[in-house]
Amino acid sequence: MLGGSVWIAFLRFAISLAGVILLFSRMSESRFSRKKTIICYGCFSAAELVMACTWYAVDRVSCVRMVAFVMYVCFAVFAVIMSSDSVYLSVYKLALTFYLMAIFVIGGLETAIALFDRNIWADIIVRMILILLMTLLIEKIFKSSIKAFSDYVEKEVDKFSVAVMIISILFGIGFILNPNIKDLTPYRLYQILTNFILTGTLQLLMFRFYLHIGKEKEYKQEYQLIQMNHRLLERQLEILEEAAEEGRRLRHDIRHHNAVIAEYVRRGQDEELLQY
């Protein structure tokens, strides 16, 4: 952190928590109505912010080191309860959310340190800009893909694979947000950037892989349905041909009967006609 008063700390906490809630809500549907969801998130956020600011005022050093961990563990439990997804899928989306959180937190800090002489407001403004950009990208470009990916993960992927994906994200976040590393050397910045890229690339590859698996299975199911429809159409054509053949046979028989009846009538053979 860059320091500051309790009110600055409150503002930072509020922006970061709002960013996490906003990003998670774009990726995961709530099990409750929109109104109830907003009320629940609002009450939870107020409670967390009061706790964090009180902690910051009482013991700034321990707060700087531990408050983020405590806040987001509490948020993780609360978000799993609020989400309509299964537990392991909710946890995976939370891990992705925390990865994005690491991006806007580190992005704000590093920008303020490198370009604005550790200016607190630069950190806050950059965080807000990054949160808005990521939210717009998810909403406009990735939301439908994330929804499809969630459906495919629920149906196709095993829990072990999801656990590996979650652990890889958490390791990356833990390295990036390590509070014991205070020297922001160019090499440290290179490590952070490399970690961001590798972790993000791994998740993107897994995302595309399971998306491909899910779509491929959908295509197979559609192909099977097409084959079934094709066989049904073939059978219907066979029935129509059989009906046409039966119609031709009936018409032939009717013509024959009419000819016989006409012949009896022409000859005046009424008794034979009645017997026929």
Side-chain angles (χ1 to χ4, degrees):
M1 296 181 68
L2 301 177
S5 65
V6 174
W7 295 110
I8 294 296
F10 173 82
L11 186 58
R12 274 211 190 94
F13 294 149
I15 291 171
S16 297
L17 186 58
V20 169
I21 292 173
L22 189 60
L23 292 170
F24 181 74
S25 65
R26 296 303 87 198
M27 292 189 284
S28 179
E29 296 292 333
S30 174
R31 67 174 71 246
F32 304 111
S33 65
R34 183 180 180 87
K35 182 179 179 180
K36 187 175 181 179
T37 299
I38 293 173
I39 293 173
C40 290
Y41 273 123
C43 294
F44 172 80
S45 300
E48 276 221 326
L49 291 173
V50 170
M51 179 272 295
C53 291
T54 304
W55 188 357
Y56 186 80
V58 172
D59 187 356
R60 182 175 301 189
V61 175
S62 65
C63 180
V64 170
R65 293 174 62 86
M66 294 298 297
V67 70
F69 177 77
V70 175
M71 284 180 64
Y72 295 118
V73 167
C74 294
F75 173 76
V77 175
F78 180 77
V80 170
I81 295 172
M82 293 291 294
S83 176
S84 61
D85 297 320
S86 61
V87 173
Y88 68 95
L89 185 57
S90 297
V91 172
Y92 175 69
K93 289 182 178 180
L94 276 168
L96 283 177
T97 302
F98 292 151
Y99 172 76
L100 297 176
M101 179 203 71
I103 292 177
F104 69 71
V105 168
I106 294 299
L109 287 172
E110 297 302 325
T111 302
I113 293 171
L115 302 178
F116 297 97
D117 193 25
R118 307 178 70 89
N119 185 279
I120 293 171
W121 296 106
D123 171 32
I124 292 172
I125 292 171
V126 171
R127 288 190 192 193
M128 294 175 63
I129 292 172
L130 290 175
I131 290 170
L132 290 175
L133 286 175
M134 287 188 287
T135 303
L136 287 174
L137 285 174
I138 292 173
E139 186 68 27
K140 300 297 184 181
I141 300 177
F142 298 110
K143 190 171 183 178
S144 58
S145 298
I146 291 173
K147 177 66 172 62
F149 173 74
S150 301
D151 295 338
Y152 299 146
V153 168
E154 291 278 11
K155 298 174 185 177
E156 306 297 335
V157 71
D158 58 286
K159 292 180 176 61
F160 175 77
S161 298
V162 176
V164 171
M165 294 163 69
I166 293 170
I167 290 170
S168 67
I169 296 177
L170 295 180
F171 272 129
I173 296 171
F175 174 82
I176 294 166
L177 298 179
N178 186 353
N180 295 318
I181 300 176
K182 299 180 180 180
D183 296 329
L184 298 177
T185 63
Y187 179 68
R188 167 65 178 163
L189 295 178
Y190 170 76
Q191 286 181 315
I192 292 174
L193 182 61
T194 302
N195 189 284
F196 269 134
I197 293 173
L198 291 178
T199 304
T201 301
L202 175 62
Q203 297 308 311
L204 181 61
L205 290 175
M206 296 298 293
F207 177 86
R208 293 181 64 85
F209 174 70
Y210 284 113
L211 199 62
H212 173 74
I213 290 177
K215 286 185 177 180
E216 185 177 7
K217 187 167 184 179
E218 276 194 354
Y219 293 152
K220 287 182 179 179
Q221 291 174 345
E222 289 177 359
Y223 178 74
Q224 290 174 352
L225 289 174
I226 291 172
Q227 291 292 100
M228 290 176 60
N229 289 333
H230 180 68
R231 288 194 291 269
L232 286 173
L233 287 173
E234 286 183 339
R235 180 55 186 158
Q236 288 176 349
L237 287 174
E238 291 174 0
I239 293 172
L240 287 173
E241 289 177 356
E242 291 173 359
E245 182 63 28
E246 182 67 15
R248 286 192 293 270
R249 186 183 65 78
L250 288 174
R251 286 194 298 272
H252 177 271
D253 292 344
I254 289 171
R255 283 196 298 270
H256 174 73
H257 290 310
N258 289 338
V260 172
I261 291 170
E263 184 63 22
Y264 279 127
V265 171
R266 187 180 65 80
R267 294 180 180 182
Q269 298 173 335
D270 296 336
E271 292 295 328
E272 290 81 355
L273 175 60
L274 290 174
Q275 290 177 3
Y276 180 76

